[in-house]
Amino acid sequence: MKFFIDTANLDEIREANDMGILDGVTTNPSLMAKEGITGADRILKHYVDICNIVDGDVSAEVIATDYAGMIKEGENLASLHPNIVVKIPMIKDGIKAIRYFTDKGIKTNCTLVFSAGQAILAAKAGATYLSPFVGRLDDVSTNGIDLIAQIRLIYDNYMFDTQILAASVRHTMHIIQCAEVGADVMTGPLSSIKGLLNHPLTDIGLQKFLADYAKGNK
Ligand code: G3P
């Protein structure tokens, strides 16, 4: 399973990248705003800054919601760096735009996905990545991981190439559950990734090894 980090914070991206486990980055307009990155020029420069840190796919989201606007914006985003993936919302014009970019060899990430039907449409349009939002489904008493498993089954039935990018991952258990049901990629906050490190027996065991070494090497 590929690990993407879901943030526009450059320090967090650097920290995850320095661990040697980062495969890419996802962002969205809310995450950009959270870092105080506003205005088209600053946002575009920020995408380039991210691409210069990570050697992997970086999702950059269009703001337009009409076909012509998404094409114009997406082409501009794709021209910023070879690793840019154009992130497009799951709407009718979005599906059409995904087909356009697929035919031009430009990678896409279909976002705001909450159902298996939407997942089928995005795969038919040739999306590179599909982003079902696990945490936001959990928020409305619907099991987000179950949707990942359902899409996995459907995509395997038809050998769709679209990669399932489990998004809105909020915590460490989500990552493990995504791996159990076969998500191709997960994107989550740095805290969820670092949570995978933790086990009290590791800490106790390390303390004991170091204490025993110290005893024997006085
Ligand atoms: O990748 C999608 C993500 O940014 C949404 O996460 O936590 O706002 O539901 P969240």
Side-chain angles (χ1 to χ4, degrees):
M1 185 168 69
K2 287 189 218 167
F3 272 33
F4 287 2
I5 189 168
D6 195 30
T7 184
N9 183 294
L10 298 183
D11 289 337
E12 291 190 0
I13 294 169
R14 273 190 210 98
E15 185 175 343
N17 195 53
D18 285 350
M19 285 172 74
I21 48 79
L22 195 62
D23 300 299
V25 178
T26 52
T27 60
N28 62 40
S30 307
L31 293 170
M32 282 285 184
K34 190 174 163 200
E35 298 307 318
I37 311 296
T38 53
D41 289 348
R42 279 191 74 205
I43 290 173
L44 294 181
K45 182 186 172 303
H46 204 73
Y47 285 135
V48 175
D49 290 345
I50 293 172
C51 289
N52 287 335
I53 297 173
V54 185
D55 184 17
D57 285 347
V58 173
S59 289
E61 189 157 343
V62 298
I63 302 301
T65 54
D66 64 295
Y67 177 71
M70 282 189 266
I71 299 304
K72 189 171 170 218
E73 224 183 306
E75 285 188 330
N76 189 33
L77 289 169
S79 73
L80 291 175
H81 192 281
N83 289 351
I84 289 285
V85 175
V86 181
K87 199 172 181 186
I88 297 176
M90 165 44 76
I91 52 177
K92 190 174 164 197
D93 276 17
I95 289 297
K96 201 172 149 190
I98 288 169
R99 167 51 59 197
Y100 172 88
F101 287 120
T102 302
D103 290 346
K104 285 198 83 177
I106 292 173
K107 288 184 183 178
T108 55
N109 176 356
C110 182
T111 190
L112 290 166
V113 170
F114 295 93
S115 77
Q118 293 175 328
I120 293 170
L121 269 181
K124 291 283 291 177
T128 314
Y129 295 106
L130 177 90
S131 288
F133 279 30
V134 172
R136 290 194 196 181
L137 280 168
D138 288 358
D139 288 344
V140 294
S141 310
T142 302
N143 192 321
I145 296 295
D146 283 353
L147 177 62
I148 303 294
Q150 188 184 17
I151 298 169
R152 176 77 285 150
L153 175 70
I154 292 168
Y155 280 12
D156 288 352
N157 281 346
Y158 297 99
M159 288 182 282
F160 282 127
D161 290 334
T162 300
Q163 296 179 55
I164 304 170
L165 194 174
S168 184
V169 158
R170 301 265 178 80
H171 51 73
T172 303
M173 269 313 288
H174 271 159
I175 299 180
I176 294 165
Q177 290 164 340
C178 284
E180 282 174 346
V181 299
D184 298 293
V185 190
M186 80 80 206
T187 190
L190 180 62
S191 59
S192 67
I193 296 172
K194 284 164 80 176
L196 293 166
L197 288 165
N198 299 335
H199 200 289
L201 292 178
T202 303
D203 301 337
I204 292 166
L206 184 59
Q207 273 173 15
K208 183 158 170 35
F209 285 154
L210 294 178
D212 290 344
Y213 175 85
K215 267 188 249 161
N217 290 277
K218 274 188 188 152

